[in-house]
Amino acid sequence: MNSHATSHRGTGPEPHPFAGSQPSAGGTVRRTLLRTALTGAAALGAGVGAARPATAAPAGSRPAEPRPGTPDEALRELTAGNRRWQAFRERHPHENPAIRRTLATAQHPFAVVLGCIDSRVPPELVFDQGLGDLMTVRTAGEVLDEAVLGSVAYGVLELGIPLVVVLGHQSCGAVRAAVSAEQSGERLPAHMQYLVDQIGPAIDHGQEGDARIDATVSANVRLVRSRLAAEPELAARIGTGKLAIVGARYELTTQVVHRLA
């Protein structure tokens, strides 16, 4: 991903060193049961008793290039994919029949992307990634709740994913709704009020009109990122260099993803 202030190649805003990320050896019984419940169904459906590691997959069934194993490697892969997307040179990788068969028994994604539900910003497309590459969580305005926190934690703590990207985007309808609701004092119907309540603290009152909405998009990404980074178990992995949580924006007009400081 590009950055307005600095390249992401290991010198981004996160001060911690980048290092490899693997699941810890001493998992608890609770985590073992969770892992079995979430991954065992696919293995049973395929007639396989246990998921195989990536290195044991049949020849040609995994990508030829090594899977990103560190935050820095994962960022480089996402950046390369977004550049292909911008240039209309997408590869649409990892979709062939052999990989599909392998993915029936195991998954090894290298990044979690927490993005908006906006139909114009599907992470697998804007980063030109394929099956098994990204674990995506999508809510309007990247809003957090217990289900989202649990989903992100599963990817990081159980699958050993080294990178979490909070991905906002230009012209976010959820952010616009939050700004409009604050200005009018009107409550939104059904569960949409929850969304604007969560985005509300990020509203940039130093701007007016469309500039306020645009500034709030970035402020909201930073707020969500900071909340994730404050989660104790995620913070512990950040502190050891096994995890990076970064904020980024996708610009609809240019198709560029750039990192937010």
Side-chain angles (χ1 to χ4, degrees), residues 1-14 75 79 82-83 86 222 246-249 251 256-261:
M1 286 171 287
N2 300 322
S3 172
H4 289 324
T6 179
S7 169
H8 72 278
R9 296 178 183 271
T11 59
E14 278 67 30
L75 279 167
T79 298
N82 180 241
R83 286 174 179 162
Q86 295 168 47
R222 293 186 179 101
V246 303
R249 271 184 59 138
E251 305 301 337
V256 173
V257 175
H258 59 90
R259 189 169 170 182
L260 296 174

Side-chain angles (χ1 to χ4, degrees), residues 142-228:
E142 309 87 57
V143 164
L144 296 176
D145 63 13
E146 285 299 311
V148 173
L149 288 168
S151 298
V152 173
Y154 175 75
V156 171
L157 303 177
E158 299 302 322
L159 298 184
I161 292 174
L163 177 67
V164 176
V165 178
V166 180
L167 183 64
H169 66 92
Q170 179 185 17
S171 301
C172 179
V175 169
R176 180 179 294 275
V179 171
S180 297
E182 184 191 61
Q183 291 172 341
S184 68
E186 179 182 358
R187 290 188 62 83
L188 274 66
H191 299 283
M192 289 185 286
Q193 185 63 39
Y194 176 81
L195 300 174
V196 303
D197 287 344
Q198 293 297 306
I199 297 170
I203 293 176
D204 188 336
H205 296 100
Q207 304 289 337
E208 298 292 339
D210 288 343
R212 173 175 293 183
I213 295 168
D214 192 69
T216 300
V217 168
S218 297
N220 184 56
V221 168
R222 293 186 179 101
L223 179 61
V224 173
R225 183 215 164 271
S226 67
R227 287 175 175 172
L228 285 174

